[in-house]
Amino acid sequence: MLDSDSFGIDTMSALRELTGDPSSRSILPRAPKNPPSYSTREFKSFEAACYKSLYPTTSPEQFRDRLASILEKLGFPYFSLTALNPHPRVLFHNLPDATCSAYEQGNYDQVDYAVSYANSARHPILRSRIEDYMSVAPVQTGEMVRNQDLSILYKSHGFYEFYLIPVVTGRERFLFSLTSQDIAPDFLKKLSKHPEAIQLVAEISVSFGQRKFPKLFRPHEREGKIKLHRQPLAVIHTMTEKDLTIQQFAHSQDRSVHTINQHLASVRKALKVKTNHGAVYQAIREGLIPCPCQECTGQREVKDSRG
């Protein structure tokens, strides 16, 4: 298998161009501008009904169930809303537990091109469009293989297509995803009926959810406590413990340098430092990772032997 450290960047550039491909417009419904400018009575009635349904909610679970009810009337029984900053985290979903467990156990959130696409684009896209690109790419990276495995996982659970909607509010980015256990032609037929309504629900879920549940949508603002996702922390821990360069670590994990740099950037941001060396020092100081020096290691071993 061929690999390239810089291919991750080229891959995402190509994925961003997918929605601009004129040949895709006949099968991929386009999103309206933010906010929707539709003035038909039917659309306004639907918008009012969404707010009327969501306004009384008092818990995230109730909010999720009301969203699910709205989307089911449009023909989409399953959805998820994922916050992308400072790391991917699912806010709401009603996908089967078995599907979510398999996704989490496979750590697919670290390589999922749907997440990468939503982090850098604004137009909706079908997941099959990403899969089409991967199938004809001249170079197959480890991340591409993992995404192909993810597609197989979804299909094994009966999900053959996803409609991915990036939502941007200020500096925050979110991914709203719709799916159903339909074959692709039926899925596209449903999309073509209600593209504006679907986009509206995606935007309402974020804007309204931020006001209703600010702590859920912005956990990194709580009490100034340092929040670091497991994977970026594991990256900096292993690199420090084994004294590896970025290139060496990426090669040992069959990951691209671009991906490892993204993890390190999230660590620097969380620790409010500008360099990787500063991040290591601050992570040790905050007790997030153990100090790798021989003196500290020896002290830990003595302590552990004493119980």
Side-chain angles (χ1 to χ4, degrees):
M1 180 179 69
L2 297 175
D3 198 359
S4 170
D5 289 338
S6 63
F7 192 71
I9 300 174
D10 296 335
T11 298
M12 293 320 305
S13 297
L15 290 177
R16 286 196 297 271
E17 293 173 1
L18 283 175
T19 51
D21 181 0
S23 64
S24 70
R25 294 176 185 172
S26 60
I27 63 170
L28 180 62
R30 303 290 288 181
K33 295 180 180 179
N34 295 344
S37 58
Y38 297 88
S39 57
T40 64
R41 178 177 297 180
E42 183 180 0
F43 186 81
K44 290 296 184 182
S45 297
F46 175 76
E47 183 179 19
C50 289
Y51 280 105
K52 185 177 180 180
S53 176
L54 296 173
Y55 182 77
T57 57
T58 57
S59 69
E61 292 75 21
Q62 190 179 24
F63 190 80
R64 176 203 61 203
D65 293 343
R66 295 288 180 90
L67 272 177
S69 178
I70 293 170
L71 291 167
E72 190 166 10
K73 292 177 182 177
L74 297 176
F76 299 95
Y78 299 104
F79 82 99
S80 65
L81 176 62
T82 302
L84 304 180
N85 307 118
H87 53 76
R89 61 190 190 283
V90 178
L91 303 177
F92 305 107
H93 79 87
N94 66 341
L95 291 165
D97 291 339
T99 305
C100 295
S101 296
Y103 186 93
E104 292 173 358
Q105 290 173 7
N107 293 321
Y108 286 110
D109 60 319
Q110 301 303 314
V111 296
D112 192 347
Y113 275 157
V115 172
S116 300
Y117 176 82
N119 257 320
S120 57
R122 288 176 177 267
H123 295 298
I125 192 173
L126 292 166
R127 185 175 180 88
S128 60
R129 294 284 291 156
I130 297 178
E131 293 173 0
D132 290 344
Y133 172 79
M134 289 190 294
S135 67
V136 298
V139 179
Q140 291 288 305
T141 66
E143 289 182 6
M144 281 187 170
V145 173
R146 294 271 286 143
N147 273 270
Q148 290 164 356
D149 291 341
L150 177 57
S151 296
I152 293 172
L153 184 152
Y154 282 141
K155 290 172 183 176
S156 71
H157 288 259
F159 299 108
Y160 300 95
E161 185 63 279
F162 288 81
Y163 190 48
L164 312 172
I165 308 174
V167 180
V168 183
T169 60
R171 296 182 179 180
E172 302 291 325
R173 282 184 172 267
F174 301 85
L175 171 60
F176 194 87
S177 176
L178 291 177
T179 188
S180 63
Q181 293 175 316
D182 295 312
I183 60 176
D186 292 342
F187 189 88
L188 290 173
K189 187 176 181 180
K190 290 180 180 180
L191 280 178
S192 64
K193 287 182 179 179
H194 309 290
E196 299 90 355
I198 291 169
Q199 179 72 23
L200 175 68
V201 175
E203 293 171 359
I204 287 177
S205 69
V206 172
S207 62
F208 209 60
Q210 284 178 323
R211 292 194 293 270
K212 295 282 286 186
F213 312 107
K215 291 184 178 181
L216 174 65
F217 277 73
R218 301 186 181 93
H220 52 288
E221 294 182 1
R222 296 183 205 169
E223 302 174 0
K225 189 176 180 180
I226 296 174
K227 296 286 184 178
L228 263 176
H229 196 47
R230 172 175 52 82
Q231 187 66 20
L233 193 59
V235 168
I236 196 170
H237 180 196
T238 303
M239 288 181 62
T240 303
E241 184 179 45
K242 297 184 178 180
D243 194 23
L244 299 175
T245 65
I246 296 175
Q247 290 78 10
Q248 289 171 336
F249 181 79
H251 179 73
S252 69
Q253 300 294 313
D254 192 24
R255 308 287 291 278
S256 70
V257 171
H258 174 64
T259 299
I260 303 307
N261 276 325
Q262 285 184 320
H263 289 318
L264 294 175
S266 68
V267 174
R268 293 195 302 270
K269 182 177 180 180
L271 298 177
K272 298 180 180 180
V273 296
K274 295 182 178 181
T275 67
N276 291 332
H277 289 295
V280 171
Y281 173 78
Q282 192 65 20
I284 294 172
R285 185 177 180 182
E286 296 289 342
L288 298 174
I289 63 174
C291 180
C293 71
Q294 293 182 356
E295 181 178 351
C296 292
T297 302
Q299 290 176 356
R300 288 200 305 272
E301 292 175 349
V302 170
K303 184 177 180 180
D304 291 340
S305 66
R306 292 175 179 175

